[in-house]
Amino acid sequence: MVTKADNLSLYLTDHGKPIPLDGGTAKLTVLIGSDKKDYELLPNGGKFEVKGSFNIPKGSKVIVVIKIKTKVITARFNL
């Protein structure tokens, strides 16, 4: 997961090999204290991505739900 001021990117690999994202979606929930923000990430090349303006401070928690075909993957990050 890479967070920048103008985009959020999520890269998926399986033992170093990229996972095909064909038809996949990803929903990202950012928890900043008691505030909650949701974002939909779309496939863009070899990653899921959303562009915009983001202010995600250090110490935020992120929950990601990824759907690729029939597989659902959940990941948590502490930034």
Side-chain angles (χ1 to χ4, degrees):
M1 169 140 203
V2 178
T3 61
K4 295 184 179 179
D6 61 348
N7 83 14
L8 303 174
S9 301
L10 181 67
Y11 296 84
L12 298 179
T13 61
D14 184 14
H15 298 284
K17 296 178 184 175
I19 296 174
L21 306 178
D22 301 335
T25 62
K27 180 181 176 187
L28 188 116
T29 301
V30 179
L31 305 170
I32 305 169
S34 62
D35 193 20
K36 175 182 162 185
K37 296 180 182 179
D38 293 317
Y39 302 99
E40 292 289 328
L41 284 75
L42 299 174
N44 184 10
K47 64 187 174 210
F48 286 108
E49 181 177 61
V50 63
K51 294 187 181 215
S53 179
F54 307 100
N55 181 17
I56 301 177
K58 190 172 186 172
S60 300
K61 297 183 185 331
V62 177
I63 301 167
V64 182
V65 178
I66 304 155
K67 295 179 185 175
I68 300 175
K69 298 182 182 176
T70 61
K71 191 177 234 182
V72 177
I73 304 163
T74 302
R76 297 174 185 257
F77 298 93
N78 292 318
L79 304 179

